[in-house]
């Protein structure tokens, strides 16, 4: 796996390149817009407020309880799903660069990650505003949240790389991934809490996104994280990284021909 690890290391060292590419791509989306990238925050805020009022009433939950839970779940789900969906097309959308320039391949995965991290930084303002308004944020929970966030990022990156390799070889994969993510959204505790789905708890036990949401949302709501979420996520990361590195080392030099 030395070949794959070398590509990853060289890509990380070129941080100025992938951060610039990610920023320019995000800026291009909102070119000639007065509000610019803050449309991301505005649209997300309106969506959270609308869903909070409607679903809070449907679930018979107080807005003080439901809105922070929804805001955290929806903001981080958007971050995770975007990295996975866009990661699956990372090599395809960068075909021009890959076929003409001798760049490392992992740099395009980092570009996707950085772009969506900047979008998360816009949306996290909504989460902080909701938590502060309802007085549910405690500073002592921040370190635990950061640990969970780091584990989630590691998992998202290897999944994005794995799907990028599959997608560049089999072009139906991005559509399949998008369809699967739409289904996963409804069986992941985002619009609802895990306790509401106690009857079908098996859907949470074997759903990695349930582990991720638990590690991110519970600390910010001053709730206890299920230890199983940490254990399962770490095991998933170790197994996924090893398998993806092996796959990347075998296919890295073929990607330029597949695009």
């Amino acid at each position: 796996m030395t070949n794959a690890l070398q590509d990853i290391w060289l890509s990380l060292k070129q941080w100025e390149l992938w951060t610039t590419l990610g920023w320019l791509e995000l800026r291009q989306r909102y070119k000639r817009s007065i509000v610019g990238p803050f449309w991301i925050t505005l649209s997300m805020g309106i969506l959270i407020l609308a869903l909070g009022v409607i679903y809070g009433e449907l679930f018979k939950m107080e807005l003080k309880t439901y809105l922070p839970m929804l805001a955290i779940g929806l903001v981080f789900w958007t971050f995770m799903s975007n990295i996975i969906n866009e990661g699956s097309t990372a090599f395809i959308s960068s075909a021009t660069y890959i076929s003409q320039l001798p760049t490392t391949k992992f740099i395009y995965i980092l570009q996707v990650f950085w772009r969506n991290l900047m979008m998360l930084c816009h949306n996290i303002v909504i989460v902080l505003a909701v938590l502060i308004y309802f007085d549910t944020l405690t500073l002592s929970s921040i370190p635990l949240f950061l640990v969970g966030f780091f584990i989630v990022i590691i998992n998202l990156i290897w999944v994005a790389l794995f799907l990028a390799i599959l997608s560049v070889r089999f072009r139906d994969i991005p559509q399949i991934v998008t369809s699967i993510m739409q289904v996963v959204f409804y069986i992941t505790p985002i619009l609802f809490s895990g306790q509401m789905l106690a009857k079908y708890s098996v859907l949470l036990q074997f759903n990695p996104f349930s582990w991720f949401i638990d590690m991110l949302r519970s600390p910010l709501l001053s709730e206890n994280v299920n230890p199983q979420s940490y254990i399962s996520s770490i095991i998933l990361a170790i197994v996924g990284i090893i398998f993806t590195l092996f796959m990347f080392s075998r296919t890295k030099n073929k990607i330029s021909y597949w695009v």
Side-chain angles (χ1 to χ4, degrees), residues 14 17-18 20-26 28 89-109 111-112 115 168 252 255-259:
Q14 300 178 60
L17 177 58
W18 49 265
T20 301
L21 289 174
W23 167 248
L24 290 176
E25 189 170 350
L26 182 62
Q28 186 66 26
T89 60
F91 294 149
I92 299 173
S93 58
S94 302
T96 303
Y97 300 112
I98 294 175
S99 59
Q100 297 182 11
L101 300 175
T103 57
T104 54
K105 304 301 184 296
F106 189 67
I107 197 171
Y108 302 107
I109 304 298
Q111 177 186 348
V112 170
R115 180 173 65 249
V168 78
K252 189 178 76 73
I255 293 174
S256 300
Y257 301 97
W258 288 343
V259 295

Side-chain angles (χ1 to χ4, degrees), residues 112 128 159 170 191 201 239 248:
V112 170
L128 293 175
V159 171
F170 306 102
L191 301 178
S201 59
V239 174
F248 188 40

Side-chain angles (χ1 to χ4, degrees), residues 47-207:
L47 178 62
I48 290 173
L49 182 61
L51 291 179
V53 173
I54 296 172
Y55 279 87
E57 183 65 26
L58 289 175
F59 294 143
K60 305 301 179 183
M61 295 179 64
E62 294 183 3
L63 200 61
K64 181 180 180 179
T65 303
Y66 185 69
L67 197 60
M69 183 190 74
L70 174 67
I72 297 170
L74 201 56
V75 165
F76 284 104
W77 167 261
T78 302
F79 171 69
M80 293 187 293
S81 61
N82 282 347
I83 287 182
I84 291 176
N85 287 326
E86 295 178 14
S88 65
T89 60
F91 294 149
I92 299 173
S93 58
S94 302
T96 303
Y97 300 112
I98 294 175
S99 59
Q100 297 182 11
L101 300 175
T103 57
T104 54
K105 304 301 184 296
F106 189 67
I107 197 171
Y108 302 107
I109 304 298
L110 292 174
Q111 177 186 348
V112 170
F113 163 72
W114 180 252
R115 180 173 65 249
N116 283 284
L117 183 63
M118 287 190 293
M119 294 173 64
L120 176 64
C121 291
H122 284 82
N123 289 335
I124 203 71
V125 174
I126 302 171
V127 173
L128 293 175
V130 171
L131 293 176
I132 293 172
Y133 181 79
F134 290 109
D135 195 24
T136 57
L137 179 65
T138 55
L139 296 179
S140 59
S141 64
I142 300 299
L144 192 60
F145 162 78
L146 293 176
V147 171
F149 187 58
F150 177 76
I151 296 173
V152 170
I153 286 176
I154 296 299
N155 277 287
L156 291 176
I157 289 178
W158 79 254
V159 171
L161 177 59
F162 174 75
L163 293 176
I165 297 170
L166 282 182
S167 299
V168 78
R169 183 66 179 87
F170 306 102
R171 297 304 174 96
D172 293 326
I173 297 296
Q175 286 73 26
I176 295 174
V177 171
T178 301
S179 300
I180 291 175
M181 293 300 292
Q182 290 175 349
V183 174
V184 171
F185 173 79
Y186 292 103
I187 59 175
T188 302
I190 298 166
L191 301 178
F192 54 88
S193 64
Q195 290 78 9
M196 296 180 183
L197 205 63
K199 185 177 179 181
Y200 303 97
S201 59
V202 67
L203 295 176
L204 305 181
Q205 295 174 1
F206 297 97
N207 180 358

Side-chain angles (χ1 to χ4, degrees), residues 200-220:
Y200 303 97
S201 59
V202 67
L203 295 176
L204 305 181
Q205 295 174 1
F206 297 97
N207 180 358
F209 292 97
S210 296
W211 314 335
F212 299 162
I213 291 295
D214 183 33
M215 291 189 298
L216 296 172
R217 184 159 64 187
S218 295
L220 294 180

